[in-house]
Amino acid sequence: MIQDVQKIAQALIQSRYPVALTGAGISTESGVPDFRGQAGLWQDEDAVDLLSLTTLYGDPQRFYSKGLSLLQVFRGKSPNAAHRALAWLEELGLIRCVITQNIDGLHQAAGSQNVLEIHGNLRTSSCVICHAVFPFEFVEKAASEGQIPPKCPKCGGTVRPDVVFFGDDMTPDFGRAVEECSRADFMLIVGSSLQVAPAAYLPGMVPRIAIINLDETPYDESAEVVIHAKAGTVLPEVVRLVEEDPALKRWER
Ligand code: NAD
């Protein structure tokens, strides 16, 4: 495995515009379950149905009694060694941005600055009519007080979590992610099954990709490096190798 880790370190150092794409797998070592991994939430078909627009708007009582509590598993966790390694690679100038499918906020908690949250976040909620933004806690409080769906105090519209549910449009960050991918010459993919569209199309925009993921992905054959191991083990090794590399010291990015 060490040779493959070395290849990733070299690719990061030699690339002109390296970016990262992360998925739920980078957060499993923080205690957040993924969807399609071995102990994933996908095993529970209900999770997909609960976290859908059909339930949010069609059966808000069910969404706010069950779906909202499902979102709680993504909150209040701490970043792990893999999140911290990506933040440090950005600090070194070896990652331009982290495009994440995650909603748990752990990249920012680890210190990453340029994070594109293409599936939204759990920090805010907003009104679907006037687009006023509230803390996420606004919808929790309204629901706990029996106001379902939560109502905007400004215009009376429905306030909903700023998370991309099944059937939703992507966030504006997705457009920015497409721009970043069109500039990128290397993408490091970490902890994603690469099965959720349209995020799964992004690796196809970048000429060179490397994958760190426990299970196989549809892009394994086109990747120049594939490591089936834990992100929290591999990424700190990538950091160790780039820091040892004399080329990095010479460049002084
Ligand atoms: P996924 O669940 O489809 O796939 C996760 C992949 O990560 C799996 O292939 C698994 O083998 C791998 N994995 C698990 N633990 C790993 C580890 N320690 N190291 C390396 N790889 C590991 O995830 P996805 O591709 O991101 O798609 C899931 C969708 O669900 C996303 O859209 C995301 O928004 C959402 N989701 C988010 C979170 C979160 O915010 N943490 C958690 C679950 C689901």
Side-chain angles (χ1 to χ4, degrees), residues 22-29 32-37 41 74 101-104 119 191-196 212-216 229-232:
T22 67
I26 196 169
S27 295
T28 55
E29 292 169 75
V32 186
D34 59 11
F35 265 174
R36 291 173 192 74
L41 291 169
F74 302 111
Q101 300 168 76
N102 297 342
I103 55 175
D104 55 33
H119 289 164
S192 176
S193 63
L194 299 177
Q195 287 179 30
V196 179
I212 302 169
N213 198 60
L214 279 182
D215 294 308
E216 289 178 7
K230 287 190 171 182

Side-chain angles (χ1 to χ4, degrees), residues 27-50:
S27 295
T28 55
E29 292 169 75
S30 292
V32 186
D34 59 11
F35 265 174
R36 291 173 192 74
Q38 283 134 25
L41 291 169
W42 191 264
Q43 317 298 342
D44 180 6
E45 281 294 324
D46 217 20
V48 181
D49 185 40
L50 276 174

Side-chain angles (χ1 to χ4, degrees), residues 196-240:
V196 179
Y201 303 135
L202 296 175
M205 297 182 62
V206 183
R208 299 171 64 201
I209 62 171
I211 298 174
I212 302 169
N213 198 60
L214 279 182
D215 294 308
E216 289 178 7
T217 81
Y219 281 91
D220 282 10
E221 283 193 6
S222 51
E224 62 184 53
V225 186
V226 180
I227 301 179
H228 291 303
K230 287 190 171 182
T233 307
V234 179
L235 277 175
E237 275 300 291
V238 173
V239 168
R240 188 179 68 75

